[in-house]
Amino acid sequence: MRIHCPLCGARDRREFSYKGAALVRPLAAAEPEAWHAYVNLRENPAGPLAELWYHEMGCGSWLQVTRDTVNHSVLEVVLARDTALGAGA
Amino acid sequence: MRIAGKGQGAGAKPVNFTFNGRHLMGRAGETLAAALLANDIHLVARSFKYHRPRGILTAGSEEPNALVTLGAGPVQDPNQRATTQELYEGLEARSQNCWPSVEHDVMAVNNLAAPFLGAGFYYKTFMWPAAFWEKLYEPMIRRAAGLGALSGLADTDRYEKAYGFCDLLVVGAGPAGVMAALTAGRAGADVLLLEEDIRLGGRLLAEEEEIDGKPAQIWLQEAEVELQQLDNVRIMRRTAVTGVYDHGTYGALERVGHHLPRQHSLKGSQRPRECFWRIVAKHCILAAGAIERPVAFRNNDRPGIMMAGAVRAYLNRWGVTPGERVTLFANNDDAHRTARDLVAAGVHLAAVIDSRHDAPDSDLYPVMKGAQVCNTSGSKRLESITVRSVRGEERIQSDCLAMSGGWNPSLHLTCHLNARPSWRRELLAFVPQTGAVPGMRAVGACNGSFSTHAALSEGAAAAVAVLAELGLGAIAAVHLPEAEDQPYRIAPLWAVPGKGRAWLDFQNDVTVKDVTQAADENFRSVEHMKRYTTQGMATDQGKNSNVAALAVLADVTGRSIPETGTTTFRPPFVPVAIGAMGAGAADQGFKPQRFVPSHVVAEERGASQVEVGLWYRAAYFPKPGETNWRQACDREIMSVRQSVGVCDVSTLGKIDIQGPDAAKLLDFVYTNTFSTLRQGRVRYGLMLREDGFVMDDGTCARLGDTHYVMTTTTAAAGEVMAHLEFITQVLHPEWDLRLTSVTEHWAQFAIAGPKSRALLNDLLDQPLTPGDWPFMACGAVTLGGIKGRLFRISFSGEEAYELALPACYGDSLFRTLLERAEALGGGAYGMEALNVLRIEKGFVTHAEINGTVTAQDLGMQGMMSQKKDFIGKAMAQRPGLMAPDRMQLVGLKPIGAVQELSAGAHLFDPEAPVERIQDQGYVTSVGFSPLLGHMIALGFLKQGAARIGDEIRLVDHMRGIDALCQVVEPVFFDPEGERMRG
């Protein structure tokens, strides 16, 4: 598997570590249900899924990778800092 | 037997080798199989289950029978295929799975018991009594069945791994692959051409044909010269692609040293035995060819019965005929080339049997049309075959039967990403699905296009398409060499009907009857049949047998072949030594060692080392006269408590945080507040995971207005770094700050004990100003002019400092510190003493922060700021995490003359039965306190904070410990902390 790091180019997946689904952190005052969903609940779609990968053995960037879980094709890679995942934080 | 003047190796240098101790002669450049046949040796191996005599079936890596063991001792190589093993001077090969010899194998008695050893026999025969399975049946079966054995010694061979990148990967250098590489190479593409064989050519090496009006061998040589002259084309021989992975990643095995005598590989160039390649290719052209499939008929497994294409390969390539009275049995036109070539070479062709009534005629030999071989005889070599036709049955004397049931495209690699092949009825074969692997194009025989013309034209066309996608310009016209373009004609023939055993899977001894029986017993799915019969599960992975076996299954279950489907194709395509896949990761390569700045000093002083993650840290520093570790540990503890001890703490993670928003990050990542921390001060911090449990703890120092340095525990350094990066990149990209891991930049030593200040005052360029260095102060110091940092922090409960200098000064600083500490009556202390010192003070480590505890469980609920948001705050307030009946950190001290406590022990009420359901908690850390004169422990106990003073029973079944303890506050010494603040 190859991930195209926006800073480093296409790299072998062993340079990266995986965190899981890319989710928006709830507001501090959000309902417990929202926090429960953020920490515990995960969709398991057969198809595109936005995920967080960390280029640990490379530039240290956190990336949002959109991957098709059916055929492993990587549809999009962006720097996580350019997303709104921290909107609630 | 060799045929004078025949073959491409005529005139090659003679090579001496031995087989089962017999001294034999072969030729340089040929395979062991070719050399054995040249020496008229046909009985090479015994089969897996029945120990049937077996010979050489094929001429390629798909060989199921002729597996041999090479060498002995640590370099013993079992299960090497004689058909791919190149001969070298002094090669020693021997048969395996036989005793006392391949000629006289006592285990052949299994063959007589065959009626009881059919598919699934071990599920039925050896069921009762149940206890016998493990002790008797299984060991017995394992001994009787099998392949070659490992030596049991550590492998001393070297393996290597490598990485490759290219525009175009061409897999296979037959006519299709060579044509593709030529076309793409001429246009300037970066081409990697991989060939499993020693030489380029593929099937062309085994055939007598012409390309472009000249012998195919000449065309090949010219093509090879041209390819070698192209700088942008790399040719790798002896390299097989083993697997296809996502996004154009391919695994490949290069057999670097298998063809060289071992002495050469050892003292010569230090060549590895094998090299495992990971290749990333933008495009791939698969030109893997095809594998001929056997026909199942009674006793079709005798030595001397070979694939028709293999007979041709031995004849044309190596000038060897596998027999003197050869017969041919086939259902397709292609096999007739074997008959033609044998006649042309002057070999006596006893009969050509074709199952088709419309088989082609020949001027050179008569053809028995509509006939089938229904049996054979001969014990260790074929003696005769029995042919059934409309005229009845007749016996024909023959020492070699060339058989062909047609060709299976080698589409394995196209299925590694889960695609299924499609059935082509006119070819009676599966072919790859277009687009099965993104970026891969199958051409030539592996695409079901069997003529040389089709191979050349598909190879060229695929290369043109790749060039267009690479943007390397449109190719005006590719010169396509002229070549044979015979149609591929075949009629179904999978198994000849009749009694007796007809082999499908030679290596695993699976017969037509086994497959029929599987279907009868309702293992009708092809995946079930495979597992019930073990068909396709041997080292050849069913390359020879899969299609015929599922055709038989389709027949008995009344389904079509495409309805029956295929089993799953998985990597590796050819066997790969584990040593090759793990190259570089053996021994210390698997787990690199990290050494602390004081490592050399610790070694000099005979310190015992303990592994902490990848780090090696000194456990204790023994002194003369001490007979066990406890004596050293106790002495080190007392030196810290009474004078001064020095300990290397460089392994703690150190993260440098700078920027205007550094304080915001710390406030967000720690439960407590750091923006209020004064410059020149240190604070202890606790961080949670987002789920509310404790992640790590440590101190953080404010060195400047916008400059902090955080310490993490040794084990969590990497995890915390990733966590901080996550916060600053994902959650708060707007914050202006930078993070740098500086763990290895600094040598940092704890100087702990009542005389620590005295030691430092004497050592530093400027003595510590009284009043300026209260507990939790930090700042810059100089030592011999070298800039360092000093932190007044304590993990021992004594007045203590941590002194950090750039790592390159670590060794000399540690020596200096020890010298001065010893002059003051102290000395070095290691991890054992450090651990007891912190247990005495109730300081936690990852023994306590085990992923299931909350701040409240640790008694640190006061550190959870109410004034700000922080990671884990919301989830830490869940009722379950706040519940009063959770387990809480307590101290434990034994009641009475208890000798031993243990970490991992569980806690029970003294009156309650010791049952899991009564479990009250567990012990996390224990140590012997020389100060208190007894064992002390930390642990978690249900409602522990409310049970101080209670008695509790500590039970460790594993170590046989059962002790009564008193629950105490988790601080055993100086509860007010007067000594460390002092």
Side-chain angles (χ1 to χ4, degrees), chain A residues 2 14 25 60 62 72 81, chain B residues 246-247 278 690 726 729:
Chain A
R2 311 274 293 169
R14 280 170 300 173
R25 189 175 189 264
W62 278 93
H72 290 189
R81 62 166 64 250
Chain B
D246 285 322
H247 310 145
R278 291 174 174 89
E690 197 70 279
F726 175 78
Q729 292 183 36

Side-chain angles (χ1 to χ4, degrees), chain B residues 479-546:
Chain B
H479 165 69
L480 207 58
E482 276 175 40
E484 68 82 20
D485 195 15
Q486 295 293 315
Y488 180 75
R489 292 179 60 238
I490 185 168
L493 174 65
W494 307 105
V496 174
K499 288 183 179 170
R501 284 176 294 165
W503 265 262
L504 286 165
D505 185 327
F506 289 77
Q507 195 173 9
N508 266 1
D509 272 337
V510 178
T511 64
V512 169
K513 207 174 126 192
D514 292 319
V515 173
T516 311
Q517 187 192 334
D520 283 348
E521 298 183 9
N522 218 18
F523 294 95
R524 295 159 61 91
S525 148
V526 64
E527 298 283 3
H528 287 156
M529 178 278 285
K530 168 180 171 171
R531 283 154 185 83
Y532 196 57
T533 62
T534 73
Q535 179 274 320
M537 291 168 70
T539 55
D540 74 328
Q541 288 287 290
K543 287 190 188 75
N544 303 283
S545 60
N546 269 350

Side-chain angles (χ1 to χ4, degrees), chain B residues 339-356:
Chain B
R340 187 197 66 193
D341 290 354
L342 285 167
V343 171
V347 179
H348 179 63
L349 188 63
V352 172
I353 302 112
D354 196 311
S355 64
R356 299 169 298 172

